[in-house]
Each structure stands twice: as structure tokens, then as C-alpha cells.
Amino acid sequence: MYHWGWKIIIYLFLGGLGAGAYLTSFAAQKGWLGENSKLDRAGYFLSGPCIVIGSLLLFLDLGIAFSDPLGVLRMFANITSVMTWGIYILSLFILVGFLSAYYAGKNRKMPAMLSLFGAILALGTGAYTGVLLAVVTSVPFWNTLLLPVLFVVSALSTGLAATALCAHFLENKGKQGGEQPSEAKTNKVHLVLLGLESILIMMLLALALTGVKGAGAAASAHMLTSGSLALPFWLLVVAIGLVFPLVYYIVSAKERQRKLASFFNVLSTDFAVLIGGLTLRATIVLCAVRVF
């Protein structure tokens, strides 16, 4: 087993969520989620705090902040380290995230270059959460480019869900005219993201179970599919985090079945996506089998 625990798991979740939330509001401002989308501010409010909390947990897990405070500063100079890349990306993204929240709070238009720079940093942050695991060569199940791609897609999905939840309470007034069209567009985007996430998970498991990545990766995959982590994986990741929201978005996309879709509470669907995203990261971290 690898030594990483819940601090890293929550960092991976919050890092991805913060990045995805920023990108959700960025896309909403660009009109990519429909006209008059109510998601154009909430993601900016979420991004900075999520990354700050996640980064603190990351440093606490590493222990370097207490055992060698100057070591944190030295890490900024080690440009060949993946950890150093992450420090730069996270530091800049935190700054841009809070600046974006300031503009959103004041209902002022954000400078185009700032919002674009933030979107690039958000993509980097989402990818970094997966790269942090993928570069660990001693854990074959993690050591694949599929993992950063999966974490980016999951970050977009959880960020969209968290932003929608936040916007439900934050933007409950004033944008009713365009609410239905933008919701339909958002649901279609989420449907695509959840479909991609499902495919990437299947590819990750297939790669490991075929033995291409060795016995260690196969052991990790078996732990997920039929071992000690099978219950949270199949129940929380697959059933609640993927199948339930997929069914809702498919049903709600069909105009003639909109009454059936109304039985599914939109808020519970977003919560389900968040539960699945957190459990996905937890099971992937906890299933690690180290090979020396």
C-alpha cells in the first residue's frame, strides 16, 4: 500500500473542484452554457477557497511546512520537480481565483486576459491533481497518462455540479428569463462529461486488468472491482456518482419525458456527482499497490 491518506484525497478533490468551478463560470460568461446562465459568478467564489484549503492539506501531509519551513521556499527553485510546477500553478491560481471573485462580487466585468489566464491555470490545476499521482512510477496503477485526463474530466464535472449548487442559492433571483434554456444546455454538457468519465474509468481498469501494467496494477484494479474497495467503488462512484446523474440528464433531455425527469431532484443529482468525485479519488488513492 502507498502511504498517502485522506489529506491528499481531499486535496485532490478540492483542487479539481476549484479548477472545474472556475472553468464553469468562465464558460458561462462566454455563453457556452446557454444565454443568461446563472453559473457565471458562483464558480469564481468557489475556486479560491477550495484551492487554498486543498493546498494547506497537501503541505500538511508532506510535513515540510513544520519540519523544514525553508524547504518550502527552496522548492520554488527546483524547476525540474513536478511538485515545484504545482506550487507555481496553485499559487498563481489562488491569486487569480480571489481576484476573479472580487470582480464577480462587485458585478464588474473581469479583464479578458485575466479570465483567460485563470482558465489556463485552472486547466493546469485540474491536470496537476492527476499528474501528482501519475509520476509515481512505483505505483503502476497510477503511472499512466489516463489518470490526469480522468481527473481533468472529473474536475469539470464536480466543478459544474458544485457551481450549480452554489448558484441555486446565490442566483435564485434575477435570471429567471433564461433559466430553462441554460439549464438544458448545462445538462447536455454534464451528460457528455459523465459519459467521458465513465469511458475513462473503464479504460483505466481495462488497462490494469489485462496485465499490461503488471501484477501491481492488476492487484489495484481487482481491489476496486471485487476486493476491499468494491463496495464504495460500485455504489458511490458508479451507481450514485455516474449512473444516477446520467439517467437524470438523459431523461431530462427528452422533452416528452420531462415530467418523469422532475421526479429526480436537481440538487440531489449535483450532490451525487460530488459524492462520486470524492469517492473516485479516495478509491484510486487507497487501491495503490507499490512495486519495488
Side-chain angles (χ1 to χ4, degrees):
M1 296 290 182
Y2 208 67
H3 69 279
W4 284 348
W6 281 100
K7 291 189 186 75
I8 291 293
I9 291 167
I10 296 173
Y11 155 70
L12 296 174
F13 175 67
L14 290 178
L17 190 154
Y22 185 99
L23 289 167
T24 297
S25 285
F26 176 78
Q29 282 193 334
K30 295 293 184 183
W32 299 341
L33 299 180
E35 295 182 4
N36 300 316
S37 173
K38 63 181 181 179
L39 306 182
D40 58 348
R41 297 196 311 151
Y44 293 139
F45 295 135
L46 288 171
S47 60
C50 284
I51 302 301
V52 167
I53 296 170
S55 299
L56 286 174
L57 290 172
L58 176 63
F59 279 107
L60 285 173
D61 188 82
L62 294 173
I64 191 172
F66 299 109
S67 62
D68 183 15
L70 292 178
V72 177
L73 297 177
R74 286 195 295 270
M75 287 176 69
F76 277 90
N78 185 15
I79 59 173
T80 60
S81 169
V82 172
M83 186 67 72
T84 300
W85 303 349
I87 290 174
Y88 279 111
I89 293 170
L90 292 173
S91 300
L92 289 170
F93 187 44
I94 287 170
L95 177 61
V96 175
F98 280 107
L99 277 173
S100 303
Y102 169 78
Y103 279 102
K106 295 289 185 180
N107 285 313
R108 292 170 55 187
K109 186 176 180 181
M110 196 186 316
M113 289 303 296
L114 178 64
S115 64
L116 178 59
F117 185 49
I120 294 170
L121 290 172
L123 280 173
T125 299
Y128 176 67
T129 59
V131 170
L132 189 64
L133 301 185
V135 296
V136 181
T137 56
S138 60
V139 180
F141 187 72
W142 294 351
N143 190 220
T144 169
L145 288 175
L146 280 175
L147 201 58
V149 177
L150 171 60
F151 275 25
V152 167
V153 173
S154 179
L156 293 171
S157 178
T158 55
L160 180 54
T163 303
L165 278 172
C166 184
H168 176 77
F169 301 101
L170 184 69
E171 313 285 5
N172 57 353
K173 295 179 182 179
K175 292 191 180 180
Q176 299 302 319
E179 182 176 348
Q180 292 303 322
S182 65
E183 277 190 9
K185 180 73 171 180
T186 301
N187 288 351
K188 288 178 182 177
V189 171
H190 218 159
L191 178 61
V192 171
L193 290 173
L194 289 167
L196 282 173
E197 187 176 349
S198 302
I199 292 169
L200 288 165
I201 290 172
M202 288 188 288
M203 290 174 64
L204 183 66
L205 289 173
L207 183 66
L209 290 170
T210 55
V212 173
K213 298 289 292 181
S220 294
H222 282 296
M223 201 182 302
L224 287 177
T225 56
S226 58
S228 58
L229 296 172
L231 180 60
F233 176 75
W234 290 113
L235 177 61
L236 299 180
V237 177
V238 177
I240 292 178
L242 293 173
V243 175
F244 170 64
L246 275 171
V247 168
Y248 168 77
Y249 292 128
I250 290 171
V251 170
S252 65
K254 297 181 179 180
E255 190 70 34
R256 288 176 300 178
Q257 299 185 31
R258 197 168 292 278
K259 289 184 178 179
L260 176 61
S262 67
F263 286 102
F264 293 90
N265 188 291
V266 177
L267 295 182
S268 67
T269 305
D270 290 326
F271 272 119
V273 171
L274 295 177
I275 290 169
L278 175 60
T279 311
L280 172 68
R281 287 155 179 79
T283 52
I284 285 178
V285 169
L286 297 175
C287 80
V289 173
R290 196 170 186 177
V291 176
F292 297 96

